[in-house]
Amino acid sequence: MSQIKIAVIVGSLRKESFNDKLAKALEKLFPADFSLSHVRIDDLPLYNQDDDGHPSAQVTRLKSEIKAAQGLLFFTPEYNRSIPGVLKNAIDHASRPYGQSAWDGRPAGVIGASVGPIGTALAQQHLRNILAYLNVPTLGQPEAFIHNKEGLYDANGAIGEASLKFLQSWVDAYVQWVKKHL
Amino acid sequence: MSQIKIAVIVGSLRKESFNDKLAKALEKLFPADFSLSHVRIDDLPLYNQDDDGHPSAQVTRLKSEIKAAQGLLFFTPEYNRSIPGVLKNAIDHASRPYGQSAWDGRPAGVIGASVGPIGTALAQQHLRNILAYLNVPTLGQPEAFIHNKEGLYDANGAIGEASLKFLQSWVDAYVQWVKKHL
């Protein structure tokens, strides 16, 4: 069975990241023909246009991993009512040089978890603005503003019963969205 | 004469940055009791919440420079219809740890230059969203979406005749805004 490759981009670098935990739990809800792999963004330099002509190995790696993927999956925290600088820095790198963006045309899903009940909603809106410019077709509904509260996971770190139906429906919609844009 | 200290934050790292050039030209339009100094953001690490308890020397420096200022002046490029990751990374650093933000209450101006005629308008809107959350009172009018075209500067790099009246009015409004929030 041919695999559909999804590049997973988690916007938080901390070890116990809520979004990294969500990414790992959500992965188990995907069908067998989807292959998810995490893209590393923690070792990128700060973007400087002067380096466009001689990108670092980390930037070249990032762009080749994005280009090799058939779909994108963004897990974003909300920092100061927007996406983390860390995530935007990765997006900026892979969008450059002008006319050579790695993001172009790859279908995406946007999701995020936080301890607050708005569940990164405002960060996701900024991310959608950015992805629209980058010509990344992004799943509209269902939206997924995940409140990281008790019961979200079971004792094994899998999605708990209370959220399973919704999150499975989200994954199913994302899977269809990616297939539509293959 | 007691000096009013302004921290200047330029969101682009490239040497020939339009926004750095604008910052240097605009500085000459300020009254003598305003003292502008550029805050360095190019050597910051990528923000990781795990480091909140033991910030790097660069982060400590950034926060102390922001705290020592009576006002903030942001010059932002527009990258992919938002602010650069580099700028957001600096904002994230100085906003943490929770409850110890360096930005809190400091009045700000937002301006930006680009080769496109919208002059970073969309980046500035995202920046305003972020600054509102950070409790940074930000000058509303006049807005300053600077189109970096021929005639913006004279032969010496000073603001050219065509834009001088508007940019002086912008600086004057910013100066009054800062004084109101001292």
Side-chain angles (χ1 to χ4, degrees), chain A:
Chain A
M1 182 165 56
S2 152
Q3 291 286 300
I4 296 169
K5 287 184 199 165
I6 304 297
V8 175
I9 302 115
V10 176
S12 166
L13 302 186
R14 77 187 181 98
K15 269 189 196 154
E16 302 293 327
S17 160
F18 296 132
N19 284 284
D20 194 51
K21 186 172 183 182
L22 180 62
K24 281 164 184 158
L26 218 61
E27 187 170 347
K28 295 172 192 141
L29 308 184
F30 275 77
D33 56 338
F34 272 65
S35 165
L36 278 63
S37 62
H38 285 235
V39 169
R40 203 174 158 186
I41 63 171
D42 67 310
D43 63 347
L44 296 170
L46 294 175
Y47 176 74
N48 182 335
Q49 195 185 328
D50 290 334
D51 300 330
D52 273 6
H54 44 91
S56 69
Q58 295 94 319
V59 172
T60 304
R61 181 200 65 211
L62 173 73
K63 290 192 71 173
S64 71
E65 288 179 1
I66 299 299
K67 282 182 181 171
Q70 277 95 52
L72 310 168
L73 197 41
F74 290 93
F75 291 82
T76 186
E78 183 169 292
Y79 289 177
N80 303 313
R81 302 294 176 234
S82 186
I83 63 171
V86 175
L87 176 56
K88 183 58 163 53
N89 185 58
I91 293 173
D92 291 343
H93 271 297
S95 74
R96 299 288 307 179
Y98 184 77
Q100 297 175 44
S101 169
W103 307 109
D104 189 51
R106 282 166 179 74
V110 166
I111 188 169
S114 72
V115 289
I118 66 167
T120 80
L122 299 179
Q124 290 187 38
Q125 288 301 323
H126 278 193
L127 182 53
R128 285 178 185 276
N129 292 165
I130 295 159
L131 295 176
Y133 173 75
L134 291 168
N135 197 34
V136 168
T138 305
L139 178 68
Q141 294 290 349
E143 296 167 298
F145 308 132
I146 310 302
H147 189 183
N148 196 91
K149 59 181 178 185
E150 207 178 316
L152 178 58
Y153 302 102
D154 68 18
N156 300 315
I159 300 294
E161 200 177 351
S163 302
L164 188 57
K165 190 175 165 191
F166 169 72
L167 283 169
Q168 185 66 63
S169 77
W170 190 87
V171 168
D172 293 347
Y174 173 75
V175 163
Q176 289 312 310
W177 182 252
V178 170
K179 287 184 171 174
K180 185 183 293 207
H181 290 89
L182 284 180

Side-chain angles (χ1 to χ4, degrees), chain B residues 2 46 51 56 119 138:
Chain B
S2 151
L46 292 176
D51 300 330
S56 69
T138 305

Side-chain angles (χ1 to χ4, degrees), chain B residues 126-137:
Chain B
H126 278 194
L127 182 52
R128 286 177 184 278
N129 292 163
I130 295 160
L131 295 175
Y133 174 75
L134 291 168
N135 196 34
V136 167

Side-chain angles (χ1 to χ4, degrees), chain A residues 80-82 126, chain B residues 9 11 73-77 81-84 87-88 91 103 108-112 120-134 136 138:
Chain A
N80 303 313
R81 302 294 176 234
S82 186
H126 278 193
Chain B
I9 303 111
L73 196 41
F74 291 93
F75 291 81
T76 186
R81 303 294 175 234
S82 187
I83 64 172
L87 175 56
K88 182 58 163 53
I91 293 173
W103 306 109
V110 166
I111 188 169
T120 80
L122 298 179
Q124 290 187 38
Q125 289 300 325
H126 278 194
L127 182 52
R128 286 177 184 278
N129 292 163
I130 295 160
L131 295 175
Y133 174 75
L134 291 168
V136 167
T138 305

